[in-house]
């Protein structure tokens, strides 16, 4: 049975103060009471009994796979408290990184009638509302959590619960805490890799990241103009500092590679890996029917390429393909350029993206041959500056013709 405390005469005198407190806490507790590192719990105020000494059952559950969370993916977390004889409950929860000891990922409200968010110095917290705390015997709150970027490692969900007495201010209430530890899923083998010849440095075997370091990398995908005409809404959502540029990744029909099935704007890192806009190293097309497809990559300054053959793509499995290992990795005759050793990359110089490196591209360069701090297709080496070095990049690929399927 629920433990209670009788109101003393002293308590009655100060009941008005306790009533004011109840009105406030009934719509949720301010940040910092979930039992997280550096924080406290609801027992700070509801202190009649020792923490976790009552007969209630707190629980945290989620739909996160046993293997762990995938960076950038959204999951549902449920906070639940059960206690016989109780009708009113409260909670607060947050998610901290085990290594960082601060909030990780993004907490999102899924039902504004029952939950709300408070912002703290180190994290965001989710708590109940005045209409989200009454139910005989138990209460459950659901909220979404968007996992952080790759490399964050394990996190812990912290939650504190109150089983309210409903008659004695904040006295006579039981307080409980519980945690839910969540690991980051191991990196999967899926990886798409490509090099942009104009951005490539043979001495380092990497590409530059000058566009990002100069603040010139667009925050939204930049392929919404002809001939790409891509209408996706991808935005830059990662703090990684090794981003080279945006590229357009396309899935094309097995029997007709000129036909686009789905596409996605993704980010290219200095070592040639394609990652999702949210920083996930695993590129997925989750609504794509399982089957065989060609894979194409297109870029604002380079000739696009298509995989040399169709590959099997499962919508739930990260795509794997490497354009960097040989010039034969692209469909057609000599569609990749040998950069150093056996390393291959996309031909640079197609500034108008018509599938041909010619004088029309030179004319575009000439019109803005001294542009500075600009994100332009004529910036062949991707450093934000247009000059003779970009002309030399274009001049190295005279009359180069791209794949007719693009």
């Amino acid at each position: 049975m629920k433990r209670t405390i009788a109101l003393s005469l002293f308590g009655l005198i100060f009941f008005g103060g306790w009533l004011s407190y109840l009105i406030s806490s009934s719509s949720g507790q301010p940040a910092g009471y979930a039992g997280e590192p550096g924080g406290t719990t609801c027992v700070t105020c509801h202190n009649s009994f020792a923490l976790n000494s009552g007969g209630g059952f707190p629980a945290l559950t989620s739909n996160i796979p046993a293997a762990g969370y995938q960076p950038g993916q959204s999951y549902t977390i449920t906070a639940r408290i059960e206690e016989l004889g109780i009708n009113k409950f409260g909670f607060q929860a947050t998610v901290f990184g085990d290594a960082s000891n601060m909030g990780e990922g993004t907490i999102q409200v899924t039902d504004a009638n029952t939950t709300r968010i408070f912002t703290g110095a180190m994290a965001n917290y989710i708590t109940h509302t005045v209409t989200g705390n009454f139910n005989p015997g138990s209460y459950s709150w659901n909220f979404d959590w968007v996992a952080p970027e790759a490399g964050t490692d394990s996190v812990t969900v912290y939650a504190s619960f109150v089983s309210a007495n409903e008659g004695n201010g904040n006295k006579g209430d039981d307080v409980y805490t519980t945690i839910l530890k969540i690991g980051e899923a191991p990196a999967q083998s899926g990886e798409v890799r490509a090099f942009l010849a104009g951005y490539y440095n043979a001495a380092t075997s990497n590409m530059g990241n000058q566009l990002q370091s100069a603040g010139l990398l667009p925050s939204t995908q930049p392929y919404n103009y002809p001939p790409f005409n891509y209408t996706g809404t991808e935005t830059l959502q990662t703090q990684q500092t090794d981003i080279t540029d945006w590229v357009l990744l396309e899935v094309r029909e097995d029997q007709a590679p000129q036909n686009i099935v789905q596409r996605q704007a993704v980010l290219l890192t200095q070592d040639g890996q394609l990652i999702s806009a949210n920083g996930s190293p695993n590129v997925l097309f989750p609504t794509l029917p399982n089957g065989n497809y060609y894979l194409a990559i297109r870029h604002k300054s380079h000739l696009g390429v298509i995989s040399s053959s169709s590959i099997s793509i499962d919508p739930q499995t990260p795509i794997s393909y490497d354009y960097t290992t040989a010039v034969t990795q692209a469909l057609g005759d000599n569609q990749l350029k040998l950069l150093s050793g056996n390393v291959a990359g996309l031909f640079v110089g197609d500034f108008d993206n018509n599938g041909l490196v010619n004088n029309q591209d030179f004319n575009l360069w000439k019109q803005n041959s001294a542009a500075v701090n600009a994100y332009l297709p004529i910036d062949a080496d991707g450093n934000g500056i247009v000059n003779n070095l970009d002309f030399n990049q274009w001049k190295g690929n005279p009359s180069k013709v791209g794949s007719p399927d693009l």
Side-chain angles (χ1 to χ4, degrees), residues 70 188-192 281-284 313-320:
Q70 292 288 347
Q188 302 185 48
S189 59
E191 183 178 87
V192 181
N282 302 319
V283 178
L284 296 169
I313 298 180
D314 181 335
Q316 303 304 317
T317 302
I319 299 171
S320 294

Side-chain angles (χ1 to χ4, degrees), residues 17-33:
W18 290 125
L19 180 60
S20 174
Y21 174 83
L22 265 180
I23 293 172
S24 173
S25 62
S26 66
S27 61
Q29 193 75 304
Y33 290 85

